[in-house]
Amino acid sequence: MEELTLADHFATWGPLVLLLVVFLVWGRSAQSKYKQHVDDVNAVNQQIVDTNREMIAELKEIKQILKDQT
């Protein structure tokens, strides 16, 4: 039985290790982009909530003015 040289080990395991490294780098990149997207969506949602609160407050004021007129 012949012993495998270092080059044989690299030839055998190299592609698998390279594929694993590429997959891990891609996964981290995708996770980072997804987190940024979630943060952007949360910021937009907060703006919508703030706008809705302002609109509700204004509508309550209008309602009170109309009640006072009658």
Side-chain angles (χ1 to χ4, degrees):
M1 184 167 162
E2 50 180 272
E3 288 188 30
L4 295 176
T5 64
L6 186 59
D8 291 334
H9 283 291
F10 279 130
T12 303
W13 293 101
L16 179 62
V17 170
L18 180 63
L19 185 62
L20 181 63
V21 168
V22 168
F23 181 74
L24 289 174
V25 169
W26 173 78
R28 283 183 169 240
S29 173
Q31 182 180 11
S32 174
K33 288 179 184 177
Y34 177 74
K35 184 181 180 323
Q36 181 62 42
H37 174 70
V38 168
D39 292 341
D40 292 344
V41 169
N42 285 339
V44 170
N45 285 343
Q46 188 59 47
Q47 289 175 347
I48 291 170
V49 167
D50 294 341
T51 301
N52 284 343
R53 286 186 181 138
E54 291 173 10
M55 289 172 56
I56 289 171
E58 290 175 10
L59 287 171
K60 286 180 180 179
E61 289 176 23
I62 292 170
K63 182 179 177 181
Q64 189 60 42
I65 291 170
L66 290 174
K67 274 185 177 181
D68 293 343
Q69 286 182 350
T70 56

